[in-house]
Amino acid sequence: MNDSDSAGDGIRDIERVVIVGGGTAGWMAAAALSRFLDNGRRQIHLVESDAIGTVGVGEATIPPILNFNAMLDLNENEFLRATQGTIKLGIEFVNWGGLGERYFHPFGSYGQDLHGIPFHQLWLREQARGEPGYISDFSMSAAAAAGRRFGRPSREARAPLSEMLYAFHFDASLYARFLRGEAEKRGVRRHEGRIVHVHRHGESGDVASVELESGERIAGELFIDCSGFRALLIGETLGVGYEDWSEWLPVDRAIPVPTASHGSPDPFTRSTAHGAGWQWRIPLQHRTGNGHVYCSEFIGDDEAESVLMANLESEAIAERRVIRFTTGRRKQSWSHNVVCLGLSSGFLEPLESTSIHLVQNGIQRLLALFPDHPVSPIERDEYNRGMKNLYEDIRDFIILHYKATRRDDTPFWRHVAAMDIPATLQRKIDLWRLHGRIFREGAELFGVTSWVAVMLGQNVWPGRHDPIADTLDEDKVAQAMAQMRQGYRAAAMALPSQEEFLRAAGAWAASDVRPQPIAAR
Ligand SMILES: Cc1cc2nc3c(=O)[nH]c(=O)nc-3n(C[C@H](O)[C@H](O)[C@H](O)COP(=O)(O)OP(=O)(O)OC[C@H]3O[C@@H](n4cnc5c(N)ncnc54)[C@H](O)[C@@H]3O)c2cc1C
């Protein structure tokens, strides 16, 4: 009996965890697992192949990443410097609700509720009788973004600055490298080489080891599949199927292209809708990330590239490549003794920057449910249930951006505006259309502010506001709202520009090296 087989029933501690893949998902998993598991008894191994490489995109995040960084004890300024990172306060959407329109989806919340009545209901009431201004005037993050400013709210910060919520943009390759440094410091062993064979236990069917081209075999009791779209363990080896969501999210290709920096970086992502998809713009310290995500049924690769090139702010600094994908998710995120994270577990287009969050959430969930050997189906099922809910909630929120459009200028927009949507989303839209009511259910990732931002930003107006908002005195509400608006504006104007902030904080990369345009090489 093993020392740790305390119950004497063959159940023991997991001693070796093998991570397959060294992209963002693999190194995030390695950094976090080594922080919590490598207590001398457990070994963590990571296998990656330079010959295969990583997808190398994925540059925008959402606020829960602050929690992941805190979990790893990362110094935020050091992290920003190492990844050429910038601050993200939300996303500016251009041409989504209608051509020529724009709105901002901010992090954080809108205004302050009064007497328990949600702020957006007060705003809707004011809207019905006067002109309260844009709803984004009532968000600290949106007000700072509009002024292209930032200041990190301290623990002692008071409202409205304390309401500012932020995330990051960073260079995905530098992020993986940074986390690799953290993981290796904590003893993670890296193996370079292509996996050519996966060995399974005859009886249980669990994965026993992976074999490299060199003949080296790496055995373990728990495997984390971070092999990207290949899904080497969860898909190819264990045969777990894929749920295809392209009937609702039909975009299936992306062309990423970095460009030279264009002035001081903005502290927000921009998403601009085109004829058959949309384009991202993510400003980093040393360059800008851009890419066109599109639906191949409605536009060819060459035309998609031309659209992208025609909408860049500065010269491209890398050649084009086309990434193909199918939106959807792996039917089980954990099967046998294999947990999949990252692109092997599914892909939702990067419209709301949720992929890295899904990796983070998968890691945190795994740590919360860390199993023994052999794995208990109870913990595995719990994990799968949570990941399914998270994926589906995000899916619905992303579909809303397509469904809620007045655009009918191209076959693509006519198609998505007319498509059927999941019943879960339809229920939310129906409820909103009556009295502007939105509730955050269970552990949903996107809260009331996010739904309100997209609904209003894309012209989905409720028939009327919640009648309970009428119980408050009109003049007092108008006065309180005017004060809030003024407070956000004044707090934003008192902040430095984001570049000034990063430089003063020591978060600006020391080497101000900006890559050269390909034309100049
Ligand atoms: C166009 C696009 C834009 C995106 N934008 C965002 C964004 O803004 N925000 C966000 O949160 N996410 C974004 N993502 C998602 C994000 O890029 C991914 O979630 C993230 O990079 C995780 O990738 P990965 O580590 O799962 O896979 P990969 O980066 O593909 O890594 C796979 C790893 O597996 C290894 N491997 C594979 N097969 C073998 C083998 N046989 N032997 C040995 N090693 C092997 C490879 O060497 C590599 O190390 C975007 C994705 C795409 C496609």
Side-chain angles (χ1 to χ4, degrees):
M1 187 173 85
N2 188 297
D3 278 352
S4 53
D5 183 5
S6 48
D9 52 5
I11 293 175
R12 56 187 176 80
D13 277 357
I14 283 175
E15 287 170 1
R16 282 170 71 101
V17 179
V18 180
I19 299 168
V20 170
T24 307
W27 285 113
M28 281 177 77
L33 296 190
S34 60
R35 166 81 177 75
F36 292 96
L37 299 182
D38 194 9
N39 54 9
R41 268 183 312 164
R42 292 191 179 93
Q43 292 176 17
I44 298 169
H45 296 258
L46 183 144
V47 191
E48 66 177 319
S49 159
D50 285 342
I52 294 175
T54 64
V55 72
V57 280
E59 307 191 317
T61 60
I62 53 176
I65 194 160
L66 298 177
N67 177 262
F68 188 70
N69 284 358
M71 186 176 134
L72 296 186
D73 288 330
L74 298 185
N75 175 300
E76 195 168 293
N77 295 334
E78 197 186 314
F79 152 79
L80 284 164
R81 229 173 23 242
T83 60
Q84 297 277 353
T86 52
I87 300 295
K88 175 179 169 189
L89 295 168
I91 305 176
E92 182 184 44
F93 287 91
V94 181
N95 293 341
W96 279 85
L99 270 175
E101 295 179 4
R102 60 179 69 214
Y103 69 95
F104 196 75
H105 169 195
F107 296 142
S109 53
Y110 285 132
Q112 276 112 37
D113 300 350
L114 292 183
H115 300 284
I117 298 173
F119 173 80
H120 77 270
Q121 292 291 356
L122 306 175
W123 185 86
L124 284 170
R125 189 181 78 155
E126 282 301 291
Q127 183 73 22
R129 71 175 203 130
E131 184 38 75
Y134 295 112
I135 195 157
S136 56
D137 293 347
F138 298 87
S139 148
M140 189 61 232
S141 297
R148 288 157 169 81
R149 293 163 188 268
F150 181 71
R152 191 181 282 139
S154 69
R155 274 180 210 280
E156 296 78 41
R158 285 187 295 163
L161 192 60
S162 58
E163 292 169 27
M164 179 132 77
L165 202 56
Y166 63 98
F168 309 105
H169 302 127
F170 50 62
D171 181 314
S173 309
L174 296 178
Y175 183 54
R177 193 185 301 168
F178 181 70
L179 292 180
R180 175 178 164 184
E182 295 292 311
E184 288 185 327
K185 258 191 266 168
R186 294 195 178 112
V188 172
R189 292 176 214 181
R190 175 180 179 271
H191 304 255
E192 159 59 36
R194 185 192 290 262
I195 295 168
V196 288
H197 196 73
V198 180
H199 297 271
R200 298 177 70 177
H201 288 292
E203 207 171 304
S204 65
D206 283 1
V207 170
S209 63
V210 291
E211 185 177 333
L212 306 189
E213 245 166 353
S214 62
E216 182 188 2
R217 271 197 197 198
I218 301 153
E221 287 114 17
L222 184 69
F223 287 78
I224 319 282
D225 186 348
C226 300
S227 63
F229 287 127
R230 288 167 197 83
L232 190 63
L233 304 184
I234 197 89
E236 278 183 28
T237 306
L238 298 181
V240 175
Y242 194 79
E243 213 174 300
D244 182 337
W245 288 342
S246 44
E247 65 179 294
W248 300 308
L249 294 170
V251 299
D252 58 355
R253 291 191 192 177
I255 303 179
V257 64
T259 52
S261 289
H262 184 72
S264 197
D266 287 334
F268 55 86
T269 302
R270 178 175 297 142
S271 163
T272 305
H274 293 315
W278 59 277
Q279 177 171 338
W280 77 78
R281 185 196 72 147
I282 298 177
L284 305 178
Q285 292 182 24
H286 63 322
R287 63 167 173 78
T288 302
N290 312 271
H292 187 185
V293 180
Y294 55 97
C295 180
S296 62
E297 213 183 304
F298 294 91
I299 189 173
D301 294 340
D302 290 341
E303 197 188 340
E305 185 187 4
S306 305
V307 171
L308 173 65
M309 293 302 172
N311 286 283
L312 297 176
E313 285 172 341
S314 55
E315 309 90 318
I317 51 176
E319 305 291 350
R320 96 160 199 193
R321 66 191 165 117
V322 178
I323 298 174
R324 291 157 196 253
F325 55 83
T326 305
T327 50
R329 67 174 274 272
R330 194 68 48 194
K331 285 182 178 155
Q332 290 161 302
S333 300
W334 183 343
S335 172
H336 288 268
N337 59 340
V338 175
V339 177
C340 59
L341 294 172
L343 299 171
S344 62
S345 80
F347 186 62
L348 288 162
E349 58 182 281
L351 188 57
E352 286 285 352
S353 323
T354 42
S355 293
I356 291 170
H357 177 75
L358 280 157
V359 174
Q360 165 186 344
N361 188 283
I363 293 168
Q364 289 171 327
R365 201 177 291 274
L366 175 62
L367 284 168
L369 287 166
F370 199 77
D372 291 324
H373 175 74
V375 161
S376 158
I378 296 173
E379 283 157 345
R380 193 173 57 206
D381 292 351
E382 184 65 20
Y383 183 93
N384 283 331
R385 201 177 54 80
M387 291 311 286
K388 174 179 186 291
N389 291 344
L390 180 62
Y391 258 101
E392 289 179 355
D393 290 343
I394 297 173
R395 174 200 68 191
D396 284 2
F397 185 57
I398 296 179
I399 297 171
L400 175 70
H401 297 65
Y402 289 100
K403 181 69 182 171
T405 186
R406 287 198 299 216
R407 284 188 65 159
D408 63 356
D409 54 305
T410 66
F412 172 79
W413 288 104
R414 288 194 288 276
H415 170 77
V416 292
M419 72 186 168
D420 287 335
I421 55 175
T424 40
L425 173 59
Q426 190 62 58
R427 185 173 57 80
K428 272 204 152 87
I429 297 177
D430 291 345
L431 189 66
W432 166 266
R433 278 193 191 280
L434 282 176
H435 291 103
R437 291 182 180 124
I438 280 284
F439 302 103
R440 187 180 211 148
E441 293 164 35
E444 262 185 299
L445 179 61
F446 290 100
V448 173
T449 302
S450 296
W451 285 89
V452 169
V454 178
M455 293 281 197
L456 293 178
Q458 299 200 191
N459 312 300
V460 186
W461 288 88
R464 58 174 302 215
H465 56 266
D466 189 333
I468 204 159
D470 291 328
T471 58
L472 299 185
D473 181 87
E474 277 183 358
D475 292 337
K476 282 192 183 148
V477 171
Q479 202 184 354
M481 285 180 64
Q483 271 171 6
M484 284 182 217
R485 192 176 173 189
Q486 174 53 26
Y488 291 121
R489 191 179 302 155
M493 292 314 285
L495 297 172
S497 77
Q498 99 137 324
E499 183 168 339
E500 284 164 354
F501 164 80
L502 292 174
R503 286 185 185 275
W508 192 264
S511 53
D512 212 350
V513 185
R514 305 202 172 191
Q516 289 293 306
I518 35 180
R521 281 187 207 146

